[in-house]
Amino acid sequence: MDVLKVSALNAKANYKVYLLLLILFSLWLFAQRLIMHADPTIGFIDPNIWLLLLLSMIAFLLVVALCWWILQRFWLGLGFPALGYMVSQFKQLLLWQQLGFYWASFALLLWAAVGVLSAIL
């Protein structure tokens, strides 16, 4: 029952993301006609560049939303505490403990970035 409440709250809280995706998708469908209607002398390839940028932004938002959904499923499946509870516990830490956590997170992120770059090279 607790999982259903959390997923219902997440769906209500994330309606802005769904609205943004709907607006971007509808803009992607009608943007080429709008661009060509604004300037009839424009070439056919030129308006497609803007559409590719818009499509990449839509794909990025969809991948982020999918990753967040998978993270939520794994988080609840493993029985970890809620994210709001963890944030409230983090705010109760002393300042030097918070700073240490930030530095450790930054070091791990930097280490992961170096690992990705070394894997590419």
Side-chain angles (χ1 to χ4, degrees):
M1 186 66 177
D2 203 23
V3 174
L4 294 176
K5 288 181 183 178
V6 170
S7 62
L9 289 174
N10 285 339
K12 289 180 183 177
N14 291 333
Y15 76 93
K16 293 178 183 177
V17 175
Y18 297 127
L19 184 63
L20 177 67
L21 283 174
L22 179 69
I23 290 170
L24 287 176
F25 186 69
S26 62
L27 184 65
W28 179 66
L29 290 175
F30 300 112
Q32 185 174 7
R33 290 187 183 128
L34 290 174
I35 293 172
M36 292 188 79
H37 181 66
D39 186 11
T41 62
I42 197 167
F44 190 68
I45 295 174
D46 192 25
N48 288 331
I49 294 171
W50 293 108
L51 290 177
L52 288 175
L53 290 173
L54 186 64
L55 183 63
S56 66
M57 191 165 45
I58 292 170
F60 172 74
L61 288 174
L62 284 175
V63 167
V64 167
L66 179 66
C67 290
W68 181 255
W69 180 75
I70 290 172
L71 175 72
Q72 291 295 322
R73 295 295 162 213
F74 282 139
W75 197 269
L76 292 174
L78 291 173
F80 289 145
L83 190 59
Y85 177 74
M86 291 181 62
V87 169
S88 68
Q89 293 297 316
F90 179 76
K91 289 181 180 180
Q92 291 179 1
L93 293 175
L94 297 174
L95 186 60
W96 68 271
Q97 291 171 332
Q98 289 180 8
L99 187 62
F101 183 79
Y102 285 140
W103 276 106
S105 299
F106 174 72
L108 286 174
L109 182 65
L110 187 64
W111 188 43
V114 168
V116 167
L117 285 176
S118 67
I120 291 172
L121 296 176

